[in-house]
Amino acid sequence: MHADPNLYDYWPYVGRPKIEWPGGKKLAFWIAPNIEFYEFMPPNNPKRQPWPGATPNVQQYSQRDFGNRVGHLRLMELLDKYNLRGSVSLNVALCNHHPEIIEDCVKRDWEFFSHGIYNTRYSYGLTPEQEQAVLKDSIQTVEKASGQRIRGYLAPALTHTEATLDLIAENDFWYSCDLFQDDQPQPLKTKTGKLVSMPYSLEVNDVITYSVMGFDPERYTNMLKRHFDQLLLEGERSGTVMCIPLHAYLVAQPHRIRPFEEALKHICAHQDDVWFATGKEIAKHFIDNYWEQSIADIKARGVMTGGTGFNPVVRGL
Amino acid sequence: MDESYLKYSERKYGQDHNFYDWEMVKDRPKLQWDNGTKLAICFIIPLEFFPLNPDEKPFQHPGAMKTPYPDLRHFTVRDYGNRVGVYRIMETLDKAGVKGSFAVNAEIAKRYPPLIDAVIAQTHEIVAQGLSTDSIHHEGLSEAEELARIQKTVQSFSNAPLGWLSPSRNQSSRTLSLLAKAAFEYCLDWEMNQSPQIARTDIGEISLLPNSYELSDFTLLHMRGQTEESWLSQIKSAMDLLVDEYDRFGSQMLGLTLTPYVIGQPFRIWALKALLAHIKDMDGVEVFKTGRINKQFRAQI
């Protein structure tokens, strides 16, 4: 066990070299609807039980199912209205269970990235070989259902092993949404590949605001507007990233979706300054244009620790 | 129960310890801060390292990892404060021309020297905050173990800090004495007064500067989920009351925690800007570094 994952180096937010998004935009905005499948009777993982209380949990299961039957359509139509494309955080088994939803996304030219097989199957306890199989399954399942090669990863239910990020880099993924240390992308220290830590803005995730913090819809809208305004202001110095990670079973509830629209309206009123993109587009732009300059600047700060994730350089032996 | 459970050896007039005497606010000598300041506000900014593999002895510290190892989620959410949030706070303080007191874990001083350099360059004060969030000072440590932790903390700074904040604000009955031994002049763990207080130890004296748990951004915004509007308005109410009490009780102080991963979030930083603007507008209220308060306090007693 390690005290520090050593997945990235310390990089103070001030004085970084300037990032400019395409068209000279200051803020890259992306929206990540989580399209998930929670199993009715999942097996137990010794580190975490799948449902609060007991399994099955009909209220919780059916609320997730509401997301798939009602919520996504509501959210898709709202995003259409603002000409926004989603980057779907996908439990890939949904391709098997509900292909209609995948078709709806493909029609809209949305991007998919993997959020594991099911949100009720955690990474804890998987061997690297088993985790590799999950990744191959993710790549192949989405390719078959949509023709897309996925490039992003968010571990199912934010559960990890020490090997997770090395494995996704090895499988030619471009970005990870698993780390929340920054409002700008940063190179990750994986054994192979070029893997970007993509800001996924966990604090403004509707699970955090609605289920954990107990916000009402109006407070969530205020928060999103303020978050956006501050990051846009700072994006003048060097381009920032804002993501809104969403769950239709929460945000697309009948009492919440209209207040949420107010936040989108506010953000979309800044077309001149904002690059409306998908996760893959942001990652590619960063890798193509800013990977080297970021590493050079991190190095210049003099606090690179060397080694790779969970594989620190051991000094003095 | 054993009969000893109903014996009350400290049952007598006054405090049940010897660090300070019983004294009510109305009986305390009136203090007076510089420039006619009726209320001094100290901003205490914790710079903390939250290990991915905490020991959690003797308890799980606030902000600790919550999900099974490796809890990358909570590790990185806390680390956001040290990489991004704290710089947002520093810029906001700087724009308002205000200095804070940064309570630093030795692990942060060791890992993130550019952050410490930036704090020093902006002439904020450095306060020591133990080795890490997971290095809790408690009764189960031997005196030698606890002293070693304090000394190791001091050694991680180029200039020995004069102030101390304990991880989780937890102390053993020996902590104050060991802090005095290590030449600390003040401590930010105790908050039984609205102004500083001397604590006696077998080694010597140390000042106790109050630090408000009930108005901390961590308590109100993070733990209790209150709104930034509410945090702001509660601090404003406190300021009004403390200024009003000046004639009766003299100059008082308010220690306010600004947690980088809490108030340093993009959606919250507006509230700190608004607070600083309000402080600027208020007569008799000034922001002090903790060391400055302690000096003025010591000069008056």
Side-chain angles (χ1 to χ4, degrees):
Chain A
M1 298 233 286
H2 296 256
D4 181 332
N6 197 43
L7 282 163
Y8 53 82
D9 284 311
Y10 186 62
W11 195 19
Y13 189 52
V14 291
R16 293 180 183 175
K18 185 167 186 171
I19 290 174
E20 232 175 60
W21 301 120
K25 304 290 172 77
K26 300 166 189 164
L27 183 149
F29 177 80
W30 65 300
I31 196 155
N34 281 265
I35 299 190
E36 299 174 324
F37 198 98
Y38 289 75
E39 298 159 281
F40 187 63
M41 293 286 273
N44 204 42
N45 181 305
K47 295 275 178 132
R48 176 172 165 182
Q49 65 172 42
W51 291 110
T55 301
N57 184 320
V58 298
Q59 186 281 320
Q60 290 285 306
Y61 174 87
S62 61
Q63 188 182 339
R64 299 318 186 270
D65 199 24
F66 163 90
N68 290 335
R69 301 161 74 96
V70 181
H72 294 311
L73 183 68
R74 248 181 219 155
L75 190 56
M76 282 180 194
E77 288 175 355
L78 179 64
L79 298 196
D80 289 347
K81 185 173 166 187
Y82 290 89
N83 205 19
L84 292 168
R85 277 184 305 143
S87 305
V88 176
S89 168
L90 182 69
N91 291 150
V92 301
L94 192 121
C95 298
N96 309 107
H97 290 282
H98 306 320
E100 298 86 349
I101 296 177
I102 302 298
E103 282 160 30
D104 283 342
C105 297
V106 169
K107 260 197 317 222
R108 291 171 162 84
D109 192 25
W110 283 17
E111 181 193 324
F112 297 99
F113 64 91
S114 173
H115 190 27
I117 310 297
Y118 286 108
N119 229 40
T120 36
R121 300 286 177 123
Y122 308 129
S123 312
Y124 306 129
L126 295 186
T127 63
E129 292 71 29
Q130 290 172 320
E131 214 171 353
Q132 171 83 313
V134 167
L135 295 176
K136 294 284 184 209
D137 183 337
S138 293
I139 295 168
Q140 286 160 10
T141 303
V142 177
E143 208 145 44
K144 196 168 159 216
S146 71
Q148 269 187 43
R149 165 60 223 250
I150 51 172
R151 298 294 180 188
Y153 197 68
L154 173 68
L158 308 188
T159 65
H160 303 92
T161 71
E162 290 191 350
T164 304
L165 296 191
D166 275 333
L167 287 170
I168 62 176
E170 195 182 306
N171 280 282
D172 203 16
F173 281 74
W174 298 348
Y175 69 99
S176 152
C177 306
D178 296 283
L179 311 175
F180 312 110
Q181 76 282 4
D182 221 290
D183 291 316
Q184 292 186 306
Q186 177 180 359
L188 289 171
K189 299 186 345 178
T190 51
K191 290 195 178 82
T192 60
K194 283 186 174 177
L195 185 67
V196 175
S197 178
M198 179 64 65
Y200 181 69
S201 313
L202 186 73
E203 299 274 331
V204 302
N205 184 320
D206 58 349
V207 171
I208 303 299
T209 59
Y210 284 132
S211 301
V212 179
M213 299 295 284
F215 280 21
D216 65 18
E218 189 190 340
R219 185 171 173 193
Y220 187 39
T221 297
N222 282 338
M223 173 201 223
L224 290 170
K225 288 181 184 175
R226 285 167 177 161
H227 196 81
F228 172 82
D229 289 347
Q230 181 66 26
L231 290 177
L232 182 59
L233 187 76
E234 293 171 9
E236 185 102 39
R237 279 190 298 228
S238 175
T240 48
V241 176
M242 174 175 176
C243 178
I244 308 184
L246 294 172
H247 300 73
Y249 74 87
L250 294 170
V251 76
Q253 292 282 343
H255 56 300
R256 289 183 180 140
I257 190 100
R258 283 185 173 157
F260 175 68
E261 181 174 357
E262 295 305 310
L264 288 188
K265 204 183 279 177
H266 175 80
I267 291 166
C268 292
H270 295 78
Q271 296 286 331
D272 291 348
D273 292 326
V274 179
W275 180 34
F276 294 91
T278 67
K280 186 168 71 181
E281 289 164 356
I282 299 169
K284 184 163 191 328
H285 187 78
F286 180 81
I287 292 171
D288 289 349
N289 298 283
Y290 298 112
W291 181 274
E292 309 299 338
Q293 101 173 13
S294 300
I295 290 184
D297 188 59
I298 293 168
K299 202 170 179 181
R301 308 294 183 124
V303 283
M304 276 184 136
T305 56
T308 55
F310 297 99
N311 183 28
V313 173
V314 180
R315 293 195 174 89
L317 285 180
Chain B
M1 291 299 281
D2 190 88
E3 274 304 310
S4 66
Y5 190 69
L6 299 177
K7 301 271 189 246
Y8 314 103
S9 63
E10 295 297 324
R11 189 174 179 177
K12 59 182 188 323
Y13 181 79
Q15 306 293 153
D16 54 352
H17 61 72
N18 288 319
F19 292 122
Y20 49 78
D21 294 325
W22 165 240
E23 184 177 45
M24 292 175 78
V25 62
K26 62 187 173 58
D27 302 322
R28 299 195 75 211
K30 283 187 196 175
L31 298 167
Q32 177 60 58
W33 310 137
D34 275 357
N35 309 328
T37 303
K38 296 177 177 176
L39 170 64
I41 290 181
C42 293
F43 288 117
I44 298 153
I45 301 103
L47 301 184
E48 299 166 305
F49 181 72
F50 298 87
L52 198 57
N53 59 346
D55 282 338
E56 302 184 345
K57 285 178 188 156
F59 56 81
Q60 187 183 60
H61 52 274
M65 303 301 101
K66 290 182 184 168
T67 69
Y69 179 89
D71 185 353
L72 296 177
R73 169 180 160 190
H74 289 96
F75 184 91
T76 57
V77 163
R78 306 290 177 255
D79 206 28
Y80 177 93
N82 295 320
R83 294 165 60 91
V84 180
V86 66
Y87 291 99
R88 213 169 260 140
I89 291 174
M90 280 200 271
E91 187 177 348
T92 307
L93 295 179
D94 195 46
K95 278 191 179 150
V98 154
K99 305 298 174 190
S101 302
F102 288 68
V104 183
N105 285 156
E107 282 288 344
I108 292 293
K110 190 176 87 185
R111 284 161 194 273
Y112 304 156
L115 173 54
I116 306 305
D117 293 346
V119 170
I120 292 170
Q122 291 189 22
T123 69
H124 297 295
E125 179 150 348
I126 300 272
V127 171
Q129 198 197 155
L131 296 174
S132 84
T133 51
D134 193 42
S135 174
I136 296 169
H137 291 240
H138 62 99
E139 208 61 26
L141 294 178
S142 72
E143 185 168 328
E145 279 174 302
E146 191 177 0
L147 182 62
R149 286 188 186 190
I150 292 170
Q151 286 168 337
K152 200 170 161 201
T153 302
V154 173
Q155 284 156 14
S156 64
F157 297 96
S158 45
N159 291 312
L162 301 178
W164 173 273
L165 175 70
S166 296
S168 300
R169 294 178 68 172
N170 204 73
Q171 296 196 346
S172 75
S173 58
R174 292 173 291 273
T175 306
L176 285 176
S177 160
L178 297 176
L179 291 175
K181 194 171 192 170
F184 281 97
E185 294 183 2
Y186 67 89
C187 170
L188 302 172
D189 296 333
W190 298 63
E191 58 170 312
M192 62 283 163
N193 289 316
Q194 203 72 67
S195 56
Q197 162 89 47
I198 288 290
R200 298 175 299 249
T201 78
D202 52 341
I203 304 292
E205 294 183 335
I206 185 166
S207 314
L208 306 177
L209 272 51
N211 175 6
S212 177
Y213 177 80
E214 293 291 330
L215 280 176
S216 148
D217 66 337
F218 182 85
T219 309
L220 292 192
L221 302 176
H222 185 85
M223 282 171 56
R224 296 183 185 157
Q226 296 182 7
T227 63
E228 294 77 41
E229 285 87 345
S230 176
W231 176 74
L232 189 58
S233 98
Q234 292 174 74
I235 294 174
K236 287 179 180 177
S237 299
M239 287 165 60
D240 288 343
L241 182 106
L242 294 172
V243 167
D244 287 348
E245 282 184 347
Y246 172 76
D247 291 338
R248 293 173 66 207
F249 302 140
S251 296
Q252 302 190 90
M253 71 169 283
L254 201 50
L256 293 177
T257 301
L258 303 175
T259 307
Y261 68 88
V262 180
I263 198 73
Q265 290 289 339
F267 59 91
R268 289 202 179 107
I269 197 72
W270 70 270
L272 179 58
K273 289 180 202 168
L275 174 61
L276 292 170
H278 184 77
I279 291 172
K280 203 169 188 180
D281 284 346
M282 260 187 93
D283 287 336
V285 181
E286 205 186 315
V287 178
F288 278 46
K289 293 195 276 193
T290 43
R292 183 175 165 206
I293 282 271
N294 186 46
K295 257 192 204 140
Q296 294 190 16
F297 165 61
R298 289 297 188 111
Q300 292 175 59
I301 52 163

